[in-house]
Amino acid sequence: MYETFSQCGELTEMSEIPNGVTDMTSTFYNCNNLQKLTSIPNSVKVMAYTFFNCKQITLPPELPNSVEDLTSCFRSCSKLTQMPDIPENVIIMAHTFMECIEITEMKKIPDRVTDLSECFRDCVKLKTATAIPNSVTNMRSTFRGCSDLQGVLEINANLTGKIVEDGY
């Protein structure tokens, strides 16, 4: 369903996604008025950019265990108040919640995740974070701009990728 409803700015409700769909990349990208979400089929593996810039979403849909890629899935969903539970099969979470300014708590990151680059960047109300699993190899700017983050963050990551880029 690649870009099926992308940039449908007046769309307010998500239609039922057919069973068998595996790729939802950019399906609802920039649907600024999308509010009501339905369930995601168990066959979906890729949700990259699926809800990017859907500024009216307050609660995420439940994500099936089949999902492996959440790259920028909820990026810039500025009214999103909480994270969904992250499925155990997810590997990539780069930019997933970037600029989700209403999220205050981080949920458990599964042990298969390798990329958290900019995942929570500019989540200015994020107060708590869970342990980072040792499967993570990239944390570039993961918590950059999280000005309310408190406590001690347990990082078990096996960082091999770039950590510092352009002086940040």
Side-chain angles (χ1 to χ4, degrees), residues 8 21 33-34 40 52 54 56-57 60 70 76 112 125 135 138 145-146 149 151 153 155:
C8 292
V21 169
N33 289 305
L34 183 66
I40 308 293
F52 186 115
C54 292
Q56 300 304 314
I57 294 174
L70 287 173
S76 299
R112 292 190 68 204
K125 293 183 182 177
S135 58
N138 188 346
C146 295
L149 193 60
L153 178 60
I155 299 175

Side-chain angles (χ1 to χ4, degrees), residues 44-51 63-64 67-75 83-87 89-97 110 113 115 119:
V44 173
K45 291 180 182 271
V46 181
M47 292 188 68
Y49 301 90
T50 301
F51 300 108
L63 303 178
V67 175
E68 297 175 355
D69 185 352
L70 287 173
T71 302
S72 292
C73 183
F74 296 100
R75 182 176 176 175
M83 291 174 58
D85 291 327
I86 306 299
N89 287 320
V90 170
I91 298 168
I92 303 170
M93 288 183 65
H95 314 273
T96 302
F97 300 103
V113 172
D115 191 350
C119 184

Side-chain angles (χ1 to χ4, degrees), residues 11-12 36 53 71 78 101 109-110 134 145 149 155 165 168:
L11 187 68
T12 58
K36 189 173 181 191
N53 207 35
T71 302
S78 55
I101 59 175
I109 303 297
N134 64 5
L149 193 60
I155 299 175
E165 183 174 298
Y168 297 104

